[in-house]
Amino acid sequence: MALLQIAEPGLSAAPHQHRLAVGIDLGTTNSLIATVKSGSAVCIADQQERVLLPSVVRYCEKGRIETGYDALRAQKIDPLNTISSAKRLIGRKLEDIPAAQLPYRFGDNGRIIELQTRQGAKTPIEVSAEILRTLKERAEHALGGDLVGAVITVPAYFDDAQRQATKDAARLAGLNVLRLLNEPTAAAIAYGLDNASEGTFVVYDLGGGTFDVSVLQLSKGLFEVKATGGNSALGGDDFDHRLFCHLLEQNQLSQLNEQDSQLLLSLARAAKESLTTDNSSTIQTTLSDGREISYTVTRQEFQNLTQHLVAKTIEPVKQALKDAGVGKADIKGVIMVGGATRMPQVQQAVATFFGQTPLNNLNPDQVVALGAAMQANVLAGNKNDDEWLLLDVTPLSLGLETYGGLVEKIIPRNSTLPTARAQEFTTFKDGQTAMTIHVVQGERELVADCRSLAKFTLRGIPPMVAGAARILVTFQVDADGLLSVSAREQSTGVQAQIEVKPSYGLDDDTITRMLKESMSNASDDMAARARAEATVEAEGLIAAVKTALELDSDLLTESELQNIQAAIFAVEQTVQTGMAADEIRQAVATLGTATDDFAGKRMNRNIQRALTGQKIEEI
Ligand code: ADP
Ligand code: MG
């Protein structure tokens, strides 16, 4: 049945209403906002025609707040009240970050990072919200209407807490978040849709503060992130810092005040950027004590100074290829993202590693925002286009603790998102009516070596013998990478669930360390796992034998009883003194033999009880 559109006389039937949706690249250094206009994505500029908004917020006198270039300029004169790189702090705890290296006064509320400013304590969420609010106002002004929603990008390695905090910042800024999107994935959208490519691609994103690498599979409009890696503490800032340190050494400068440090650092950054196109650059300034600085750095000198930083990006690239199960030769193209990839030595290193010229025909600063805008346009319903789908992956395995301190992995690392998996578990003890679900993240076999994400208890399990209850535990990770876990007892339908929002984040160094440990400890882990399994088996048998003795020990002679008790003691000893799995198993086998006769007698008695009045011979 067709629907007829009826228009008021004099008014034409409006075509499909275009809903204003934006993509936001909330960067460590720079942020951008983009939208799709007449079918193509464009970045929205401010009134001075600038598209980049430095991710800097200054808390001024009388409650005034400056963002962007104004705040950036003030950083030199008002460093304590001017917050940059809030993204490095968002969703983190103080103990997770090198606070001593940062020029702020940190508050210590133990739960969330706070920065003391003249307008009081501000969290990185509030700081980010100021950036987002500025961008939102810019877009509403330029587009002439309210936004229906935004896609906001985050580094691929952001964990639950960091993603959640980013969403909170958006909510504070009055934005409706349609979706969080991994930055490299957004870049691939920008390139993939333009070029309609197929094959395996690598996204190499070197921004101001983070390095992300992703291996993507593109086919028939389907984007799949096969693996991600990176280093959230490596970016263009480190190149500035290296040059800054070199300046200090060469000019025998020490004990600079905050203001001079900030000044030299920003000059170092400008020199770095100019060396992308020029062969040399001169840094010239007067310090606050009147000292004159003039230093010329050549491109070659700068490249030598920063060679190790460039090399440091290649390791995560190798790891991501390995995780994706592909070789360099399988890579059809390498997408360059982030302002720092403009440096010729970075382009060169990537070209050398992959043996091909990287793709760089889109502006590396803008590509993430453009891709996010395209995604926002689809999600807002402006494009009737469900042929392309976005799939991200989980960086670490998710699982739960089972008896004996072992981890049962439910969602393996690098699983495509969104994903849901369920597995059945059972009770270990007779009459057990509650079960604690302990959700952990990591690759190791033992709970103690993984990160604990959350714990909750399923109560109201009907009392049954051990092993009879069937508890279905479901893990679900949504498209934003947020995990929820539920548990349900199948016979009664009793249910419990939790949304996992860890209170602090895992950075990618931690992830890398956890992965490394899982590999180097694989054989230890196997032994520990075998031991834990043997222990569970031993404890199960001991419990069963003890119950049997309580019920039916009258079937045994005194010496048979002693024999069994000695065997129980022997098993308990192997477990308690930490013997290896083999020895525990041996003792368990001995206990098994010692109870064979007893088990036979009990079986007879039970059969007799069941068939009261009948003799076994009669059946
Ligand atoms: P983020 O994603 O972290 O916000 P961007 O992608 O905006 O960062 O990249 C910012 C970094 O790019 C800064 O370190 C900046 O100095 C660097 N950058 C920008 N332009 C150039 C250039 N022409 N040459 C070298 N580095 C550049
Ligand atoms: Mg970026």
Side-chain angles (χ1 to χ4, degrees):
M1 187 184 71
L3 284 176
L4 294 178
Q5 264 192 338
I6 300 169
E8 291 289 321
L11 288 176
S12 60
H16 169 65
Q17 175 83 42
H18 185 81
R19 292 150 60 87
L20 299 179
V22 292
I24 296 179
D25 174 3
L26 182 61
T28 312
T29 320
N30 295 304
S31 298
L32 300 91
I33 189 163
T35 193
V36 174
K37 268 191 198 163
S38 325
S40 57
V42 285
C43 284
I44 302 170
D46 66 8
Q47 292 180 10
Q48 285 102 308
E49 300 299 318
R50 302 173 298 202
V51 290
L52 292 184
L53 178 76
S55 306
V56 187
V57 176
R58 180 185 178 206
Y59 294 93
C60 311
E61 304 286 355
K62 299 189 187 132
R64 210 166 52 81
I65 294 173
E66 282 175 349
T67 56
Y69 287 101
D70 294 339
L72 184 63
R73 259 192 304 278
Q75 199 160 33
K76 294 165 205 162
I77 51 164
D78 191 15
L80 289 177
N81 298 296
T82 309
I83 317 297
S84 59
S85 300
K87 191 172 174 178
R88 281 192 189 276
L89 311 175
I90 201 165
R92 305 286 208 95
K93 271 185 157 180
L94 203 49
E95 65 218 43
D96 298 331
I97 53 147
Q101 290 167 24
L102 296 165
Y104 311 122
R105 289 167 301 195
F106 285 96
D108 190 15
N109 84 8
R111 196 175 46 81
I112 193 165
I113 291 174
E114 281 180 349
L115 305 157
Q116 304 295 346
T117 72
R118 66 163 68 83
Q119 290 187 26
K122 300 288 173 188
T123 65
I125 294 174
E126 292 169 280
V127 177
S128 300
E130 292 303 335
I131 309 275
L132 292 170
R133 191 173 292 127
T134 305
L135 291 172
K136 174 177 180 269
E137 282 164 9
R138 178 195 289 191
E140 286 176 344
H141 179 83
L143 303 174
D146 289 343
L147 304 181
V148 301
V151 166
I152 300 178
T153 59
V154 289
Y157 263 127
F158 258 26
D159 69 8
D160 289 287
Q162 290 162 300
R163 283 168 199 263
Q164 201 65 54
T166 304
K167 270 191 161 176
D168 291 345
R171 231 170 278 138
L172 262 182
L175 283 165
N176 171 34
V177 181
L178 298 168
R179 167 83 65 93
L180 296 180
L181 184 64
N182 283 344
E183 289 159 10
T185 309
I189 295 173
Y191 270 99
L193 288 187
D194 288 355
N195 307 346
S197 303
E198 303 232 330
T200 307
F201 288 77
V202 166
V203 179
Y204 177 105
D205 179 351
L206 191 63
T210 53
F211 173 59
D212 276 305
V213 55
S214 298
V215 181
L216 306 176
Q217 182 88 51
L218 311 188
S219 63
K220 298 198 181 63
L222 184 101
F223 293 56
E224 190 176 358
V225 182
K226 288 295 200 190
T228 61
N231 183 342
S232 66
L234 179 65
D237 293 348
D238 298 291
F239 291 71
D240 308 346
H241 198 256
R242 185 68 203 91
L243 183 55
F244 166 78
C245 291
H246 182 67
L247 275 177
L248 297 189
E249 283 159 26
Q250 295 297 309
N251 293 281
Q252 278 118 37
L253 299 170
S254 55
Q255 302 290 323
L256 284 189
N257 63 28
E258 201 49 57
Q259 205 169 316
D260 285 341
S261 294
Q262 293 278 352
L263 175 68
L264 277 189
L265 200 53
S266 66
L267 290 173
R269 174 189 291 200
K272 170 195 75 175
E273 291 180 4
S274 86
L275 287 170
T276 289
T277 43
D278 304 337
N279 279 323
S280 74
S281 175
T282 302
I283 292 164
Q284 220 157 4
T285 191
T286 310
L287 297 179
S288 51
D289 62 3
R291 265 181 295 177
E292 300 275 348
I293 304 288
S294 176
Y295 186 78
T296 299
V297 55
T298 65
R299 182 190 277 177
Q300 190 56 55
E301 189 181 0
F302 176 61
Q303 292 189 352
N304 293 344
L305 283 173
T306 56
Q307 209 174 6
H308 65 289
L309 295 172
V310 178
K312 233 172 135 177
T313 64
I314 299 300
E315 278 313 308
V317 172
K318 288 183 187 160
Q319 184 61 45
L321 290 178
K322 205 167 151 198
D323 286 347
V326 295
K328 282 192 248 186
D330 302 322
I331 304 304
K332 201 166 162 199
V334 184
I335 301 170
M336 298 298 265
V337 181
T341 61
R342 288 211 175 86
M343 287 184 281
Q345 68 264 46
V346 173
Q347 295 275 342
Q348 188 55 53
V350 172
T352 305
F353 178 77
F354 284 101
Q356 59 176 294
T357 310
L359 297 168
N360 50 16
N361 53 308
L362 290 180
N363 183 325
D365 299 327
Q366 297 186 5
V367 55
V368 168
L370 296 176
M374 293 176 183
Q375 172 82 346
N377 195 45
V378 174
L379 292 173
N382 289 329
K383 205 172 170 198
N384 209 355
D385 189 356
D386 46 15
E387 86 216 23
W388 55 282
L389 207 72
L390 276 178
L391 303 167
D392 285 334
V393 297
T394 52
L396 287 171
S397 300
L398 296 162
L400 51 77
E401 173 170 359
T402 62
Y403 199 80
L406 293 176
V407 177
E408 184 70 28
K409 284 177 192 153
I410 310 285
I411 297 184
R413 116 190 185 77
N414 279 334
S415 292
T416 310
L417 301 186
T419 181
R421 298 217 186 161
Q423 195 162 321
E424 271 195 1
F425 291 86
T426 189
T427 45
F428 183 73
K429 289 207 175 91
D430 287 346
Q432 186 177 338
T433 58
M435 186 184 223
T436 297
I437 313 280
H438 183 194
V439 183
V440 297
Q441 183 175 44
E443 306 314 306
R444 302 283 297 274
E445 300 276 350
L446 298 182
V447 170
D449 298 322
C450 289
R451 188 163 90 104
S452 168
L453 288 183
K455 248 185 202 172
F456 67 100
T457 304
L458 175 69
R459 290 179 206 284
I461 301 171
M464 291 181 231
V465 292
R470 285 165 46 233
I471 291 136
L472 189 71
V473 178
T474 307
F475 275 53
Q476 205 167 342
V477 186
D478 71 12
D480 295 332
L482 297 173
L483 170 70
S484 59
V485 179
S486 63
R488 187 186 143 93
E489 202 291 307
Q490 298 290 72
S491 65
T492 54
V494 187
Q495 199 155 341
Q497 78 173 50
I498 192 167
E499 194 160 317
V500 181
K501 289 181 195 164
S503 56
Y504 67 97
L506 269 191
D507 61 20
D508 58 285
D509 284 345
T510 315
I511 291 177
T512 311
R513 180 173 54 72
M514 288 170 86
L515 287 178
K516 272 199 188 130
E517 283 173 4
S518 78
M519 285 171 217
S520 57
N521 291 312
S523 64
D524 279 3
D525 274 10
M526 293 290 278
R529 183 172 192 105
R531 211 185 154 271
E533 279 171 356
T535 303
V536 170
E537 199 183 306
E539 286 170 354
L541 182 60
I542 289 172
V545 173
K546 283 184 173 167
T547 311
L549 287 177
E550 270 167 38
L551 295 172
D552 296 318
S553 61
D554 59 304
L555 290 170
L556 298 171
T557 65
E558 188 58 28
S559 80
E560 280 171 332
L561 182 60
Q562 272 172 15
N563 197 11
I564 290 173
Q565 275 165 343
I568 292 176
F569 182 73
V571 176
E572 285 172 342
Q573 282 297 301
T574 57
V575 171
Q576 278 159 20
T577 57
M579 289 190 183
D582 281 354
E583 285 154 309
I584 299 174
R585 289 236 156 80
Q586 189 126 36
V588 166
T590 310
L591 175 59
T593 316
T595 54
D596 269 355
D597 269 2
F598 180 42
K601 285 180 186 165
R602 290 192 71 216
M603 206 191 297
N604 271 344
R605 171 179 275 181
N606 286 339
I607 291 171
Q608 274 163 0
R609 276 183 189 143
L611 311 171
T612 16
Q614 297 185 36
K615 286 198 178 126
I616 291 179
E617 302 87 82
E618 288 171 8
I619 306 168

